[in-house]
């Protein structure tokens, strides 16, 4: 290269193009000046440098994105080019859809080896417009940016921040994580990125370790198990994130619950089983899976379940698994119980008081009511009390509940240790081996411990007699120790008492009284009434009614002759003498003595016709006036038959009557 003459102004920079070199090879280059001295270049200092011929950039930049837009400024970011000797980047911004470049700038290649990305702030942009951003790399090649491939991001809107997202919810929980989901707000501008955030307590929401996400769901990990977290999600665009955030969601990272425990039977039917279990205390279970076979399962939120459609008598194994919000599902251990659908025990409805003493009550009930009972117990209380007392349980069968095997427990028992004269309520409760608990009460009986009766029967009397029996009447006395069953003690009396006999036991007499059979006609007997109550010592022999006497007698005979003492036009007055033996009542009957036959009135006896008797009345006297009344018709001038019969206490009633004729007549 030849310099200009020294008298001309010096040229600041001289350029020499060295050609014919190999691209990519490192060259040493030197420049030696000389003057007009005849020595030319000899002995002149040499300037030395190195250089490598390079091609234009052949690869576009990678990862170009707009990371923020705010107040007319866009911040771009891309990966630093390392595959080629790029020395700078041309950054251009133009309005989308036009060729109008609104900003152009050159960004040098970062010299720090550790730098991985390149940032560029493009200024002077207009809010509300959409922009295309172009980044082109260059090397030292003389063509600079002309032949290098550009990278482009298109149609970037200069817009504000979005509205907060909606519908934030927890979709999954584990012991150290919570999964969230939400929806984009429908208003403009749409969010292009979201920032999940959380807090514990009343501090501000923060996002440590949680990057922004473009999607509408995210799982936050590394949380503390058992801590109550609140969550929000903020929506963002290139202009930044809005500051209100979504509604708040709540969750506690938790592990799966422990298994439930202690399955208990609630009720058992012939084809169903109802049972409950103790839920795990913490973490709390939200639902349970009940499995009773490979292909039979159900899910419930309750801590109880009823299985139906079971085969009676066939054991079924049930396993209950618990789960909560933890997304791993049901805990794997479960709690298991084998249950057999059998009828629950029935109530004891045949309970009866068979006796008492001064401190005990004796009970009995039917063994048929223990058909499927394993245990029963007796409960008692004073009538005025509210709560029952329990006596020890009585074991009837072992827990195997072998149906068909007779129970070994007693059905006759003594309830001892009571207070004399106190009224008690007593009942028997039953349960079976499936832990269904004691069944509702059946029959409840009332009893009072008492001594033998202190009072005899009252108002003893003769109701009826026959030729061989006496029927007695009386009333039981009052009081809690009053007798409930009675016997009649009797003995023949002929001035002195003969051997005493006792009738069979009778309950309190009804209106018909108590019959004493097998007596001797006309033999006088002394009678006394004995009573007992439920006291097991039986009859109190010293407590008797007052003695009274009676004898079996026949019906009365005929009365003496009946005398008509007077008549009127419609009445007849009679008198008679009594028959031998006692009489309690006389009956007077009247019958017509004539009838019309073939147009004339004749006596009935002429034609062998029986009279039709009508009762005119009864009396205890030996006289009576029969008057025309009702079915008794007395007509002046027509003869009638009158009959007088007598009766006593003999159950056969009236004896044979004495007959007389009479004719009512009018006054002369």
């Amino acid at each position: 290269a030849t310099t200009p003459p020294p008298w001309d102004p010096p040229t600041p920079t001289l350029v020499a193009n060295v050609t014919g070199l190999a691209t990519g090879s490192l060259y040493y280059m030197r420049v030696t000046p000389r003057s007009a001295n005849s020595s030319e270049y000899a002995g002149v200092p040499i300037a030395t440098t190195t250089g490598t011929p390079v091609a234009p950039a052949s690869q576009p930049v990678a990862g170009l994105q707009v990371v923020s837009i705010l107040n007319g400024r866009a911040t771009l970011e891309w990966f630093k080019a390392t595959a080629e000797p790029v020395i700078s980047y041309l950054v251009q911004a133009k309005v989308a859809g036009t060729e109008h470049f609104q900003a152009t700038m050159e960004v040098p290649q970062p010299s720090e080896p550790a730098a991985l990305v390149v940032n560029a702030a493009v200024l002077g942009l207009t809010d509300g417009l959409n922009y295309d951003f172009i980044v082109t790399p260059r090397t030292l090649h003389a063509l600079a940016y002309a032949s290098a491939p550009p990278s482009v991001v298109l149609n970037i809107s200069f817009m504000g921040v979005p509205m907060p997202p909606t519908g934030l919810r927890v979709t999954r929980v584990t012991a150290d994580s919570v999964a969230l989901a939400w929806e984009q707000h429908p208003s403009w501008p749409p969010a292009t990125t979201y920032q999940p955030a959380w807090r514990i307590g009343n501090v501000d929401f923060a996002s440590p370790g949680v990057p922004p996400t473009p999607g509408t769901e995210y799982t936050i990990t590394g949380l503390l198990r058992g801590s109550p977290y609140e969550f929000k999600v903020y929506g963002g665009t290139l202009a930044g994130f809005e500051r209100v955030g979504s509604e708040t969601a709540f969750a506690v990272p938790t592990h799966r619950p422990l298994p439930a425990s202690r399955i208990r039977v609630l009720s058992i039917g012939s084809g169903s089983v109802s049972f409950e279990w103790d839920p795990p205390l913490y973490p709390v279970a939200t639902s349970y899976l009940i499995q009773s076979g490979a292909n039979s399962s159900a899910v419930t939120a309750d801590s109880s379940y009823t299985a139906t459609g079971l085969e009676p008598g066939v054991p079924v194994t049930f396993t209950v698994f618990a789960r909560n919000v933890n997304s791993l599902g049901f805990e794997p251990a479960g709690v298991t119980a084998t249950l057999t659908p059998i009828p629950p025990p029935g109530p004891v409805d045949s309970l009866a008081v068979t006796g008492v003493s001064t401190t005990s009550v004796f009970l009995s009930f039917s063994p048929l009511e223990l058909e499927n009972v394993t245990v029963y117990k007796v409960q008692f209380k004073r009538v005025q009390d509210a709560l029952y007392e329990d006596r020890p349980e009585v074991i009837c069968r072992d827990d195997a509940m072998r149906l068909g095997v007779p129970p070994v427990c007693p059905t006759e028992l003594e309830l001892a240790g009571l207070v004399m004269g106190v009224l008690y309520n007593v009942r028997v409760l039953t349960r079976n081996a499936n832990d269904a608990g004691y069944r509702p009460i059946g029959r409840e009986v009332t009893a009072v411990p008492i001594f033998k009766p202190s009072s005899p029967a009252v108002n003893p009397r003769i109701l009826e007699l026959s030729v061989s029996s006496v029927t007695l009447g009386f009333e039981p006395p009052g009081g809690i120790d009053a007798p409930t069953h009675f016997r009649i003690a009797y003995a023949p009396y002929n001035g002195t008492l003969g051997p005493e006999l006792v009738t069979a036991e009778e309950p309190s007499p009804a209106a018909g009284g108590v019959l004493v059979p097998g007596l001797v006609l006309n033999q006088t007997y002394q009678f006394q009434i004995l009573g007992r109550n439920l006291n097991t010592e039986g009859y109190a022999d010293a407590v008797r009614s007052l003695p009274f006497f009676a004898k079996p007698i026949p019906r009365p005979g005929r009365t003496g002759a009946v005398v008509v003492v007077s008549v009127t036009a419609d009445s007849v007055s009679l008198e008679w003498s009594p028959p031998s033996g006692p009489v309690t009542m006389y009956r007077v009957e009247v019958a017509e003595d004539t009838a019309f036959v073939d147009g004339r009135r004749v006596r009935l006896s002429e034609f062998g016709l029986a009279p039709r008797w009508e009762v005119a009345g009864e009396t205890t006297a030996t006289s009576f006036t029969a008057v025309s009344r009702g079915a008794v018709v007395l007509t002046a001038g027509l003869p009638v038959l009158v009959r007088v019969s007598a009766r006593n206490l003999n159950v056969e009633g009236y004896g044979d009557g004495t007959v007389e004729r009479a004719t009512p007549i009018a006054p002369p």
Side-chain angles (χ1 to χ4, degrees):
T2 302
T3 64
W7 49 86
D8 290 339
T11 300
T13 303
L14 299 179
V15 177
N17 290 322
V18 183
T19 61
L21 306 181
T23 300
S25 297
L26 179 64
Y27 288 87
Y28 288 91
M29 293 167 284
R30 64 187 183 185
V31 177
T32 306
R34 76 175 180 86
S35 66
N37 187 285
S38 60
S39 296
E40 296 185 352
Y41 294 99
V44 178
I46 300 172
T48 303
T49 188
T50 60
T52 301
V54 295
S58 62
Q59 298 179 7
V61 298
L64 177 62
Q65 61 178 339
V66 179
V67 295
S68 68
I69 291 177
L70 185 64
N71 298 329
R73 168 180 173 152
T75 300
L76 308 183
E77 184 180 87
W78 61 91
F79 290 117
K80 175 182 176 182
T82 58
E84 297 178 305
V86 171
I87 60 171
S88 62
Y89 304 89
L90 180 64
V91 179
Q92 298 171 294
K94 70 183 183 71
V95 178
T98 71
E99 295 303 322
H100 173 62
F101 285 90
Q102 191 163 335
T104 300
M105 62 182 296
E106 190 171 33
V107 178
Q109 175 82 318
S111 58
E112 298 85 0
L116 300 178
V117 295
V118 183
N119 297 97
V122 182
L123 307 178
L125 305 179
T126 303
D127 290 341
L129 297 180
N130 288 13
Y131 285 91
D132 297 337
F133 293 94
I134 306 166
V135 175
T136 307
R138 68 155 289 183
T139 65
L140 284 173
H141 193 278
L143 295 179
Y145 300 103
S147 61
S151 292
V152 181
V153 287
L154 301 175
N155 207 31
I156 302 299
S157 297
F158 263 55
M159 56 188 174
V161 295
M163 295 294 290
T166 61
L168 180 63
R169 58 198 179 275
V170 175
T171 59
R172 190 180 63 177
V173 175
T174 68
D176 61 354
S177 68
V178 172
L180 306 173
W182 59 90
E183 279 78 44
Q184 184 186 68
H185 198 284
S187 63
W188 183 264
T192 57
T193 185
Y194 299 94
Q195 179 61 64
W198 56 264
R199 72 179 180 184
I200 299 177
N202 293 323
V203 300
D204 292 335
F205 283 92
S207 306
V210 182
T213 177
T216 56
E217 58 183 29
Y218 188 79
T219 298
I220 302 176
T221 60
L223 304 178
L224 297 176
R225 185 176 69 189
S227 296
Y229 283 86
E230 291 181 281
F231 299 93
K232 268 183 178 288
V233 174
Y234 299 88
T237 63
L238 291 174
F241 288 96
E242 48 84 20
R243 298 187 179 184
V244 176
S246 65
E247 61 267 47
T248 301
F250 177 84
V252 177
T254 182
H255 54 68
R256 287 189 291 183
L258 296 174
S261 60
R262 214 163 65 93
I263 292 179
R264 299 181 301 281
V265 174
L266 296 175
S267 63
I268 296 179
S270 58
S272 64
V273 174
S274 295
F275 55 92
E276 65 180 3
W277 54 88
D278 290 338
L281 295 178
Y282 186 82
V284 176
T286 58
S287 62
Y288 301 91
L289 172 68
I290 296 92
Q291 287 189 334
S292 57
N295 300 316
S296 179
S297 62
V299 176
T300 178
D302 299 325
S303 58
S304 62
Y305 181 71
T306 298
T308 58
L310 307 179
E311 186 174 350
V314 176
V316 181
T317 298
F318 295 93
T319 303
V320 178
F321 301 94
R323 77 173 176 188
N324 55 14
V325 293
N326 187 291
S327 303
L328 294 179
F330 290 99
E331 49 83 19
V335 58
T336 299
T338 298
L339 308 176
T340 301
I342 58 174
V348 175
D349 290 327
S350 63
L351 182 64
V353 178
T354 58
V356 298
S357 70
T358 56
T359 58
S360 298
V361 171
F362 298 91
L363 307 167
S364 71
F365 53 91
S366 172
L368 297 178
E369 293 180 321
L370 301 179
E371 181 179 0
N372 63 344
V373 171
T374 58
V375 176
Y376 74 78
K377 66 180 177 181
V378 177
Q379 289 187 323
F380 68 98
K381 71 177 183 68
R382 299 181 185 222
V383 169
Q384 67 271 21
D385 293 341
L387 300 179
Y388 283 87
E389 296 182 47
D390 290 344
R391 284 297 164 89
E393 292 184 331
V394 179
I395 307 300
C396 295
R397 294 179 176 87
D398 60 21
D399 284 343
M401 194 63 191
R402 295 189 297 274
L403 297 179
V405 177
V408 297
C409 50
T411 56
E412 296 182 357
L413 55 149
E414 177 185 2
L415 179 61
L418 306 180
V419 178
M420 186 172 71
V422 174
L423 195 61
Y424 290 90
N425 289 337
V426 185
R427 65 189 185 185
V428 174
L429 302 184
T430 61
R431 67 175 175 88
N432 60 22
N434 284 295
D435 198 24
Y438 281 98
R439 302 299 300 165
I441 64 170
R443 184 184 182 195
E444 185 174 84
V445 296
T446 302
V448 53
I450 51 176
F451 193 63
K452 291 186 293 185
S454 58
S455 301
V458 296
N459 192 24
R461 60 196 179 276
I462 305 297
L463 297 180
E464 291 178 342
L465 298 170
S466 75
V467 296
S468 62
S469 66
V470 174
T471 301
L472 307 176
F474 55 89
E475 280 81 43
I480 61 173
D481 62 347
T484 57
H485 291 71
F486 299 89
R487 293 191 302 194
I488 309 299
Y490 63 98
Y493 180 76
N494 296 305
T496 60
L497 288 175
E500 184 176 75
L501 301 174
V502 180
T503 64
E505 184 174 78
E506 295 279 351
S508 294
V514 177
L515 177 67
V516 182
L519 305 181
V520 177
L521 181 65
N522 293 320
Q523 170 66 58
T524 300
Y525 290 87
Q526 175 186 282
F527 297 93
Q528 287 184 294
I529 301 170
L530 309 178
R532 76 166 179 88
N533 52 27
L534 288 176
N535 189 288
T536 55
E537 294 185 23
Y539 284 90
D541 192 65
V543 181
R544 297 176 173 227
S545 68
L546 294 174
F548 57 100
F549 298 88
K551 63 181 178 179
I553 55 175
R555 291 188 304 171
R558 295 178 185 274
T559 65
V562 176
V563 178
V564 178
V565 294
S566 67
V567 297
T568 68
D570 60 355
S571 67
V572 175
S573 296
L574 309 171
E575 288 183 352
W576 60 88
S577 58
S580 61
V583 174
T584 58
M585 190 69 67
Y586 296 97
R587 180 177 65 188
V588 179
E589 299 170 286
V590 177
E592 292 184 0
D593 189 32
T594 61
F596 280 98
V597 177
D598 296 332
R600 65 187 181 92
R601 180 173 291 277
V602 298
R603 284 191 173 183
L604 298 178
S605 58
E606 294 180 8
F607 291 87
L609 299 177
R612 187 177 69 184
W613 296 100
E614 301 290 346
V615 176
E618 292 181 316
T619 180
T620 59
T622 56
S623 61
F624 185 80
T625 297
V627 298
S628 182
R629 182 171 55 244
V632 176
V633 179
L634 298 175
T635 305
L638 293 180
V640 295
L641 299 176
V642 293
R643 184 171 68 183
V644 178
S645 306
R647 70 160 296 174
N648 52 27
L649 290 176
N650 189 289
V651 294
E652 296 180 14
Y654 284 96
D656 297 332
T658 301
V659 179
E660 184 58 72
R661 285 185 172 85
T663 301
I665 57 175

